[in-house]
Every structure is written in C-alpha cells, then in structure tokens.
Amino acid sequence: MKLEVRVLNEPINVEWRDTDGGDKEAFVEGYAARFGVKSIDLGGFRETIEPGAFRDVLRADGTDVRATFNHNPSVILGRQGSKTLELREDKSGLFYRLRMPNTSQARDIVTSMERGDIAHSSFMFRAGRTSWSTTKVDGVLLELRHIHTVERLLDVSIVTMPAYPDANANVVKRMLDVDVALEERAAVQSANRKSKAAAARAKAIAELGVF
C-alpha cells in the first residue's frame, strides 16, 4: 500500500511560554485529522476517517512520529522520541502538540502562523483497513471511502498550502493518492464479483445434486 497525504484546513494555535533561562518557547497545537468529516471530491469519491483509526498505530512499539514542515524530512520541528511532539487520539480526531525548536527557521514559521499566512495541518500515512459505501451529496450519489485503521503514521506536518490546490506540486501527489484509493476500490469490487460467482456456482451444483 502506498503512502498518502491528507491536508486539513483547521485552526492552529500558537502559545508562548517562559523558559527557566528567561527566553520564550513556542508551542503549536491543532488537529492533523478530524473524524467523520467528508473530504472534498477526490475524483468520483469522497473519504472519511473513522473514530479509532489511529488508536493502534499510536500504541505500536517503535512508533516515533516526526513533526515536519511541508512534509520535508530535512525540516524536523519535533518528534515523539524526544518528547517534543505529543500525539493523541480523542473523540474529535488526531490531536498534536508541538514544542517548537529555537531555530531561525522555526521562528519564521511561527511568525507566519501568527500572521495567518500558514494555517493548515497535514499527516502522511499508510491506510490499513478500509471499506466503501455510497452517500448522496447535493443530490448526487458518490462513493465514500472509510478509513477504519491507519497502518503506519509517518509524520504530522505544518503546511503552507490548503487541501489539494489547483496549481502546485501537490496536484501530482493528489493524483497518486486517488490512484491508491481507486486501485483499492477495484480490488474490493473484483473480490465481491468473485464471491458472488462462487456462491452462484455452489447453488447451481446443489440444485443439480452434483457432489
């Protein structure tokens, strides 16, 4: 299963605290994912993350999620292993609290957040158990992908761009994510067809009395 990225247009809070040395530390907190919220149209389907999706991955041994900027692994803002990143699943979604480093890059990010120039959170993940249903949106039937479990959580990220912008590199990433879901949907539909065919064959054999 490929890695996927989801961006949430969600308020991010910045809080300043005094340190023992008299300096100030910035803490950033927000939600990287919300439960039960339908995504935008991803190309004929929408998506929702179900409560409990992050429970197992957050408890897994060896989990050490990083906090990054724009999913850039060279810009690490915190990590679970150093206790500068707190992650928890609550009734609303995936909550994070980040103690920002005292670097010029981090200070610039905080300044842009306080101005409102940066206001989005995101996470990179690999889906685990999923299912599909249909839903009506504005009178139109759309397929809905339900993410029940996240198999792997690579990072939570402060990002500059809103969900699926029209003209930047994230468009390419969006299409890769859509391909993941469409391949998954096709596999489910194929399995359902095979199951129905096997059931029909078994019924015919029973009716003919062939054993």
Side-chain angles (χ1 to χ4, degrees), residues 65-79:
V65 180
R66 271 67 166 174
T68 63
F69 181 61
N70 281 332
H71 297 289
N72 186 342
S74 66
V75 186
I76 301 294
L77 302 176
R79 60 183 288 188

Side-chain angles (χ1 to χ4, degrees), residues 67-107:
T68 63
F69 181 61
N70 281 332
H71 297 289
N72 186 342
S74 66
V75 186
I76 301 294
L77 302 176
R79 60 183 288 188
Q80 283 183 299
S82 64
K83 301 187 184 304
T84 53
L85 172 65
E86 174 193 349
L87 287 172
R88 69 172 185 267
E89 179 185 290
D90 59 24
K91 64 181 182 180
S92 298
L94 179 63
F95 174 85
Y96 71 91
R97 181 173 174 80
L98 170 64
R99 179 159 62 92
M100 296 288 280
N102 186 21
T103 63
S104 59
Q105 191 170 34
R107 289 194 295 270

Side-chain angles (χ1 to χ4, degrees), residues 75-187:
V75 186
I76 301 294
L77 302 176
R79 60 183 288 188
Q80 283 183 299
S82 64
K83 301 187 184 304
T84 53
L85 172 65
E86 174 193 349
L87 287 172
R88 69 172 185 267
E89 179 185 290
D90 59 24
K91 64 181 182 180
S92 298
L94 179 63
F95 174 85
Y96 71 91
R97 181 173 174 80
L98 170 64
R99 179 159 62 92
M100 296 288 280
N102 186 21
T103 63
S104 59
Q105 191 170 34
R107 289 194 295 270
D108 289 345
I109 292 170
V110 169
T111 298
S112 294
M113 292 172 65
E114 290 180 320
R115 281 164 44 101
D117 300 333
I118 298 175
H120 299 85
S121 299
S122 178
F123 69 103
M124 184 182 294
F125 71 107
R126 180 179 292 129
R129 184 170 64 88
T130 63
S131 65
W132 291 83
S133 65
T134 57
T135 184
K136 184 173 286 188
V137 179
D138 297 328
V140 178
L141 279 177
L142 287 174
E143 291 191 71
L144 184 63
R145 182 194 190 203
H146 303 265
I147 297 179
H148 298 280
T149 62
V150 169
E151 181 180 280
R152 188 177 179 191
L153 180 61
L154 276 81
D155 75 7
V156 294
S157 190
I158 298 169
V159 293
T160 55
M161 300 300 295
Y164 310 120
D166 291 332
N168 72 84
N170 280 344
V171 171
V172 177
K173 183 60 185 174
R174 173 191 172 181
M175 295 313 299
L176 291 175
D177 294 345
V178 169
D179 287 344
V180 170
L182 292 178
E183 288 171 6
E184 174 189 287
R185 180 178 60 180

Side-chain angles (χ1 to χ4, degrees), residues 21-83:
D23 296 325
K24 287 186 177 293
E25 271 188 326
F27 287 79
V28 173
E29 63 179 35
Y31 282 89
R34 287 278 191 180
F35 295 140
V37 177
K38 294 183 180 67
S39 72
I40 61 172
D41 189 337
L42 298 175
F45 72 95
R46 296 196 180 198
E47 184 179 79
T48 183
I49 301 174
E50 302 298 328
F54 300 96
R55 185 185 304 120
D56 291 341
V57 73
L58 291 179
R59 294 175 179 174
D61 292 339
T63 297
D64 189 7
V65 180
R66 271 67 166 174
T68 63
F69 181 61
N70 281 332
H71 297 289
N72 186 342
S74 66
V75 186
I76 301 294
L77 302 176
R79 60 183 288 188
Q80 283 183 299
S82 64
K83 301 187 184 304

